[in-house]
C-alpha cells in the first residue's frame, strides 16, 4: 500500500516526476534528484517499507541488488561503484522508504563520512 506523503510512493504512483531507468513488478530505478556522484541512482521497492529492517522479503532485496549490478554495467561503471542503504537517523536516512543508492563515476573515500 502506498504511504501518504511518501515521495517515493508518489513517484511509483506516477504522481511525482522522476527519471525512471528501469522497472519491474516489484521495484523501480530512478536518477537521484541531487546526485552525489556522476552516476547516482536509487533502486526502490514498489511496496512501502520504512527501511531494510522492516522488509522481510529476501528475494526482493536480492533482486534489487542484482538489478543494481546490472544498472552499474549499463552506466559503464567498470572501474567500480558503491551500493549504500542508509538506515535510520544516525546513518543519514532522509526518505523513510527503503532504497539502495548506486554511486559511481568518481573516486570514493573509505571510511565513508
Ligand atoms: P537517503 O538520505 O539515504 O534517505 O536518500 C534519499 C535520497 O533521495 C537522497 O539522495 C535525495 O537526494 C533523493 N531524493 C529526494 N527527493 C527526490 C526526488 N523527488 N527524486 C529523486 N530523488 C530524490
Ligand atoms: Zn513509500
Amino acid at each position: 500500500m502506498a504511504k501518504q506523503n511518501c515521495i517515493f510512493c508518489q513517484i511509483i504512483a506516477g504522481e511525482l516526476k522522476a527519471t525512471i531507468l528501469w522497472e519491474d513488478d516489484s521495484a523501480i530505478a530512478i536518477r537521484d534528484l541531487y546526485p552525489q556522484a556522476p552516476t547516482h541512482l536509487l533502486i526502490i521497492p514498489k511496496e512501502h517499507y520504512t527501511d531494510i529492517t522492516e522488509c522481510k522479503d529476501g528475494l526482493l532485496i536480492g533482486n534489487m541488488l542484482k538489478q543494481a549490478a546490472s544498472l552499474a554495467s549499463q552506466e559503464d561503471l567498470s572501474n567500480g561503484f558503491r551500493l549504500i542503504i542508509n538506515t535510520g537517523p544516525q546513518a543519514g536516512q532522509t526518505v523513510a522508504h527503503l532504497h539502495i543508492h548506486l554511486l559511481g563515476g568518481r573516486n570514493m573515500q573509505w571510511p565513508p563520512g
Side-chain angles (χ1 to χ4, degrees):
M1 255 279 263
K3 194 167 174 193
Q4 259 190 333
N5 302 324
C6 170
I7 54 171
F8 290 170
C9 283
Q10 287 169 8
I11 287 171
I12 288 155
E15 296 162 6
L16 193 63
K17 237 183 104 188
T19 304
I20 298 169
L21 300 178
W22 164 88
E23 89 177 280
D24 71 3
D25 287 348
S26 59
I28 191 167
I30 64 170
R31 286 207 191 276
D32 198 293
L33 196 57
Y34 308 101
Q36 301 301 315
T39 293
H40 187 173
L41 311 186
L42 301 171
I43 300 95
I44 309 170
K46 289 189 172 175
E47 194 166 324
H48 180 94
Y49 301 101
T50 299
D51 63 31
I52 188 81
T53 68
E54 208 180 79
C55 180
K56 308 301 175 202
D57 188 343
L59 193 61
L60 170 66
I61 295 166
N63 283 336
M64 286 170 56
L65 287 169
K66 278 175 63 180
Q67 189 55 43
S70 296
L71 287 160
S73 162
Q74 269 178 47
E75 296 279 318
D76 291 324
L77 300 179
S78 54
N79 284 331
F81 58 90
R82 195 170 278 179
L83 302 178
I84 297 168
I85 304 176
N86 292 323
T87 305
Q90 204 162 31
Q93 184 179 0
T94 58
V95 177
H97 179 135
L98 171 62
H99 51 283
I100 301 170
H101 293 260
L102 164 59
L103 290 152
R106 65 165 170 82
N107 291 326
M108 310 243 171
Q109 306 296 316
W110 194 264

